[in-house]
Amino acid sequence: MAAAVAEGVSLNHISRESSDIRRLANFYKEIFGFEEIESPNLEFKVIWLKGPGAFAFHLIERNPDYNLPEGPWSATSPVADPSHLPRGHHVCFSVSNFHSFVQTLKDKGIQTFEKSLPDGKVKQVFFFDPDGNGLEVAGQ
């Protein structure tokens, strides 16, 4: 096998574009406990959050002049069914309190889809953030 071009690879950040970055920041802070960290003063609004471990979550104000879809729910025929997420685009986080985490999502009225890996050792729950971005949380 050939040597990889990149060395010392680690996740630096994930970014999400939104027309309401404050709403999205509040969701990730409330659901995952992300912390708001200092953001640079750019020519557009950003909110940077510190996620678990060392990676950052960058929320970027949507540029209305771009033709990028804002999220899955802005599609012509949006599908808001979390049972489609295991084979769709999503970001996955791991938690140590899986069952109480899932119950909290349900208590908040967030639609979820639960399953397990075939060996049953890893439990999974799939759901959407307020912009329709797919999320998975895994636990044991």
Side-chain angles (χ1 to χ4, degrees), residues 128-140:
F128 295 99
D129 75 12
D131 279 357
N133 297 300
L135 295 169
E136 173 188 354
V137 168
Q140 302 205 353

Side-chain angles (χ1 to χ4, degrees), residues 25-92:
N26 290 342
F27 173 84
Y28 283 94
K29 288 163 59 176
E30 179 181 350
I31 298 298
F32 292 105
F34 285 12
E35 296 177 33
E36 203 161 320
I37 59 175
E38 185 176 345
S39 304
N41 187 9
L42 303 174
E43 63 272 10
F44 50 88
K45 294 178 185 173
V46 297
I47 296 175
W48 284 10
L49 304 174
K50 182 181 183 310
F55 84 91
F57 207 66
H58 295 179
L59 305 177
I60 302 167
E61 180 182 49
R62 176 174 169 69
N63 184 334
D65 297 331
Y66 291 174
N67 290 322
L68 296 172
E70 183 167 353
W73 289 348
S74 65
T76 306
S77 301
V79 177
D81 182 350
S83 70
H84 295 195
L85 287 174
R87 291 194 59 179
H89 294 287
H90 62 271
V91 174
C92 180

Side-chain angles (χ1 to χ4, degrees), residues 72-133:
W73 289 348
S74 65
T76 306
S77 301
V79 177
D81 182 350
S83 70
H84 295 195
L85 287 174
R87 291 194 59 179
H89 294 287
H90 62 271
V91 174
C92 180
F93 300 100
S94 294
V95 299
S96 59
N97 64 331
F98 182 81
H99 296 291
S100 63
F101 179 85
V102 171
Q103 187 57 52
T104 299
L105 293 178
K106 291 177 181 180
D107 292 347
K108 292 182 175 297
I110 296 173
Q111 185 181 1
T112 63
F113 172 69
E114 293 178 64
K115 64 180 296 208
S116 297
L117 290 182
D119 65 7
K121 292 180 181 175
V122 176
K123 310 278 187 237
Q124 302 163 287
V125 62
F126 295 87
F127 58 102
F128 295 99
D129 75 12
D131 279 357
N133 297 300

